[in-house]
Every structure is written in C-alpha cells, then in structure tokens.
Amino acid sequence: MAPAFEPAIRTQRAAFDIAAETAALTAGRSDIGAVVSFCGLCRDEDGRLAALELEHYPGMAEAEIGRIAAQAGDRWPLAGLVVVHRYGVIAAGEAIVLVAAASTHRQAAFEAASFMMDFLKTRAPFWKREHLADGTLGGWVEAAAADDEAEARWSAFTPR
Amino acid sequence: MAPAFEPAIRTQRAAFDIAAETAALTAGRSDIGAVVSFCGLCRDEDGRLAALELEHYPGMAEAEIGRIAAQAGDRWPLAGLVVVHRYGVIAAGEAIVLVAAASTHRQAAFEAASFMMDFLKTRAPFWKREHLADGTLGGWVEAAAADDEAEARWSAFTPR
Amino acid sequence: MKLKYFAWVRERIGTPEEEVELPHEVETVRDLLDWLKARGDGYAEALRFPEAIRVAIDQEHVRHDERIAGAREIALFPPMTGG
Amino acid sequence: MKLKYFAWVRERIGTPEEEVELPHEVETVRDLLDWLKARGDGYAEALRFPEAIRVAIDQEHVRHDERIAGAREIALFPPMTGG
C-alpha cells in the first residue's frame, strides 16, 4: 500500500525550527487530530561532552530515511510526516533530530513517531563522535544493543 | 517515589505556543536527550464541524491533571512535563491540548506523553460539545470506548 | 453542601451549582443520586441512568459507593471527553 | 567501482573514497572485505572484525553474502549511531 502523503525529509547542518516544521504539517488542514513530535538533543553526559559531531552518508541518508518513512506510511494512516536530521558539530543542549507525525488519531501518530526514531537509530547512515569538555576529540559512539532491541520489537507489532 | 521534577500544568482559554512551551522544558539544560510532544487538534469531521466547545471543571481539572502527571513521574524518569489544556470555543484546525515530556532517553518520553494523553482523555474533567458547520449547536461528544481501552492497557504495562 | 453540575447534567438540571441540605439518611453517592432524582423533572432526566454519571467529591473522582460525610463540594457530570 | 568509507572505517583506511578495479574472483561483499584487508595495514586494521562492518550497495543496506556484480558504489561503515 502506498502512503497517502509525501514525507518531508531533510538532512542539514543548520538548526531547525520545530514550530515551523510542525506547523507545516497542519497548515490549512482541519482533518488532523494529532501531531506527535520527537526532538532528540545532544546530552553533555554529566559534563563530559562539549558536543557531538555527526558524520553522514549524503544521498543514502535521505534515501534510507525515505524507506523507513514509506514503511511507517504503510503501517499507520498518516496525514503527514517530517524528518529533519542534522550533521556536523552539535553542541550539548542543541537539537540533533526531529520527527513529527500527523494523523487523525493519536495512537497512530505516537506509534509512527516512535517507529521512525527506532529505525533512524539503527538504519540511517549517521555516526556520532564525541567532542570532550576539555577541548579534545573523543571516540566514536558505539551502537547500543538497546537500540537494536528497540527496533526488533516492531517486527512483532501490529497497529491496533 | 516522588517525581524529580515540577510538572507545569495549565488550563486556559487562549491558544498556546508549542515552541515556547517545549523550549521552556530544555532551557539551560544539557541533560535532556529527548522531548516528545503531543498536540491534539480540533478536527472538522469531513466538514461537519465548525468548532468544539470545551467545558471544564476549574480547580479539579488542574488537580486531576496534576495527579496523572505525578503518576507519570513515578513510572518514568522524567526531566520535565508540560500540560496545557484549552477550554472555550476552539475552531476546527486549532489546537486543544499539548503534552510535552522530557527525559534522558526517548522511550520514557514517548511512553510518558502517551500515558498522559490516555489518562487526560478518560479522567480530566473536560467535556466537548459540537458547533456544527451550519452555525447551529450540536450535541455533546460521547466518551469513546476506545479511550477506556487505551487507558486500560497501562495497568498491565511495565516500563522497560 | 455545594453541588456542581457539568455538561449535559448541568443543562438538564438547569443550573451549574446549588447549595443543598441533605437529609440524614443520604449517606453515599448512590443515595445522593436517588435523592436528587426525586427533586424534579430536570433532575430525573439528568440522572435517569445513574450508572452513567461520574462523581467527584472535593475535586477527586469517587465511586458510587463512596460515603459523602464531610464533603464540601460534590460534582456530577457525564464521562469526560477532553484531551 | 567506487568505494566509500565512513566514520572509523574511513579514518583507519585513510581516505573517504577511492576507485578500484576488482579482480574477477571478488563476487560477494564478503569477498570484497577479504580482498581489501590484504591491501595494507590501514585496511587490515579497519576490517579486522569484518562481521562488525556494515555495507551498502548503491546506497542500500546489504548483507555480506550479497553479490556485488553491477554495483556502482559500495560503502563500508560501522554500525550506525544517528538519531
């Protein structure tokens, strides 16, 4: 089943404006009952980090996010979906990624946004490197087993 | 267990600014990794409705939302929680309710926001009345069995 | 004791709130609903299906078997439809 | 054929991309990883644990048993940590 919407997918170095991104989902429409947005931020890990530097695979990043979005559109009746993923150096406290899903009903919007994030974590070609608070370059962030488990739960999941 | 945060709870007639509300959750902090926000909007039901009019029980509305928020704070490690619920006449396409939950990790923020909405639907003392597109006053919206089921699923739910 | 009514309960009874003196034998929420039903047509219409009526004592949800002694404010309303 | 490397795979190999002529017997992703490992110390270090390496052919994830005939661009990288 093809999704009945055109997801908006961008990768960019610049910060994004959550209000503008989610407003675009509902502008001029009155058939949307729920918008769920997720914003992922750079944590300082108890003061250890100054920033995260995100490397990405241009072209594949957008294509892979598009494939994940198409899966979400097949699973849930979405009215709109926005994904913005930043790359480059992102200071602690700043936003890294935004996912916003719009639907008639809240459960679809919640589940689709959560699904998008779980798959972005494990399948979108981005890699994080630590910039330490003391000004030195840290190591590459290792993939978390918890993220693989979070992705795996969707294979047994049927939308209500 | 007492919540380690002070939830911000308001009922108001005026529209709210989602960006300002969620920005307040993360302002000056760099320990928050995830903010999930839910915005519930007035649908026009295929053109049938002009607006919804929300009646509420002042005092109890804020108190009951506070009790639900305290439960969410006991269940998930939240860094912040905002609930704004409007009353009065709300035109189709406008926002009715905002819930935003902040946490170190995304799953807690998703689950807490979803939990808040499910309990707001069934326990917060608000009642919706339809204003029809032809200018006449419609009936009171009936409570949905689906909302009771959505609430009930949390009694069997244990955060991961 | 102050009684408050909301939504269609308020409309059918015809007032948002009132002060009442309850007789001694009205001990529970259920007793209160039965007593109110006998006060007039509006009350009877509002409370025709008492199991559909939600009740809060001093701004907290209670069941119909809850005792009302000591209550300052009791509110009657339909199932909530906020959110 | 163009090879692209990302994150610590890129750092250890020492270049973000290169053009290679693959010998006829390099048929699968696994063959490619073995062939690359023998090209020098940086490659050997980057690909020491080949099971940890994720691979995309023409910007789509593939398994290590995938055949590479017809590929224009093959990318090697560590497990993703975006989001």
Side-chain angles (χ1 to χ4, degrees), chain D residues 57-73:
Chain D
I57 294 183
D58 296 338
Q59 307 194 345
E60 289 206 48
H61 293 295
V62 295
R63 290 155 40 125
H64 287 196
D65 57 5
E66 187 78 11
R67 299 182 67 83
I68 63 178
R72 281 160 296 145
E73 175 176 299

Side-chain angles (χ1 to χ4, degrees), chain B residues 98-149:
Chain B
L98 172 72
V99 167
S103 185
T104 310
H105 294 293
R106 71 186 183 283
Q107 207 55 39
F110 268 117
E111 288 171 358
S114 179
F115 172 93
M116 286 302 304
M117 281 308 307
D118 285 346
F119 280 77
L120 281 178
K121 286 265 176 191
T122 54
R123 296 189 62 86
F126 290 82
W127 301 271
K128 292 191 182 107
R129 181 169 208 168
E130 298 181 344
H131 286 217
L132 304 182
D134 64 10
T136 61
L137 196 58
W140 293 93
V141 173
E142 280 192 50
D147 287 331
D148 290 329
E149 289 158 20

Side-chain angles (χ1 to χ4, degrees), chain B residues 55 57 67 123 129 140, chain C residues 10-11 59 61 73 78 81:
Chain B
E55 179 170 334
Y57 183 174
R67 288 187 282 265
R123 296 189 62 86
R129 181 169 208 168
W140 293 93
Chain C
R10 169 181 58 71
E11 289 188 323
Q59 308 194 345
H61 293 295
E73 177 175 296
T81 55

Side-chain angles (χ1 to χ4, degrees), chain D residues 13-30:
Chain D
I13 289 178
T15 183
E17 59 179 74
E18 60 183 325
E19 288 285 339
V20 294
E21 287 285 335
L22 293 184
H24 189 68
E25 67 272 20
V26 174
E27 295 185 341
T28 67
V29 166
R30 194 168 285 120

Side-chain angles (χ1 to χ4, degrees), chain B residues 64-121:
Chain B
E64 185 66 22
I65 296 170
R67 288 187 282 265
I68 301 167
Q71 278 190 52
D74 286 344
R75 281 176 172 240
W76 291 279
L78 298 180
L81 184 63
V82 175
V83 179
V84 186
H85 203 309
R86 292 177 65 193
Y87 55 85
V89 177
I90 296 171
E94 282 186 32
I96 299 171
V97 61
L98 172 72
V99 167
S103 185
T104 310
H105 294 293
R106 71 186 183 283
Q107 207 55 39
F110 268 117
E111 288 171 358
S114 179
F115 172 93
M116 286 302 304
M117 281 308 307
D118 285 346
F119 280 77
L120 281 178
K121 286 265 176 191

Side-chain angles (χ1 to χ4, degrees), chain C residues 2-40:
Chain C
K2 180 185 276 185
L3 297 181
K4 300 189 90 156
Y5 311 118
F6 292 97
W8 52 253
V9 174
R10 169 181 58 71
E11 289 188 323
R12 290 175 193 174
I13 289 179
T15 183
E17 61 180 72
E18 61 184 324
E19 288 285 339
V20 294
E21 287 285 334
L22 294 184
H24 189 68
E25 67 271 20
V26 174
E27 296 185 342
T28 67
V29 166
R30 193 168 286 119
D31 294 340
L32 172 65
L33 295 175
D34 286 340
W35 180 78
L36 282 169
K37 270 171 86 168
R39 294 188 93 203

Side-chain angles (χ1 to χ4, degrees), chain A residues 6-158:
Chain A
E6 191 60 47
I9 293 163
R10 298 200 316 279
T11 63
Q12 62 188 39
R13 195 175 286 277
F16 47 75
D17 177 342
I18 298 178
E21 301 293 347
T22 57
L25 277 178
T26 56
R29 300 185 65 154
S30 47
D31 60 332
I32 292 175
V35 176
V36 170
S37 72
F38 173 90
C39 181
L41 300 112
C42 177
R43 283 179 283 129
D44 69 0
E45 307 284 4
D46 295 320
R48 199 170 59 79
L49 299 187
L52 287 171
E53 181 165 4
L54 276 96
E55 180 169 335
H56 79 305
Y57 183 173
M60 178 170 172
E62 297 80 358
E64 186 66 23
I65 296 171
R67 288 187 282 266
I68 301 167
Q71 278 190 53
D74 286 346
R75 281 175 172 242
W76 291 279
L78 299 180
L81 184 63
V82 176
V83 180
V84 185
H85 203 308
R86 292 177 66 193
Y87 56 83
V89 177
I90 296 171
E94 282 185 31
I96 299 171
V97 61
L98 172 72
V99 167
S103 186
T104 309
H105 295 292
R106 72 186 183 282
Q107 206 55 36
F110 268 116
E111 289 171 358
S114 179
F115 172 93
M116 287 302 304
M117 280 309 307
D118 285 347
F119 280 77
L120 281 179
K121 286 265 175 190
T122 54
R123 297 189 62 87
F126 290 83
W127 301 272
K128 291 191 180 109
R129 181 169 208 170
E130 298 181 343
H131 285 217
L132 304 183
D134 64 10
T136 62
L137 196 58
W140 294 93
V141 173
E142 280 192 52
D147 287 331
D148 289 330
E149 289 158 21
E151 180 200 312
R153 73 196 165 107
W154 294 103
S155 62
F157 176 89
T158 311

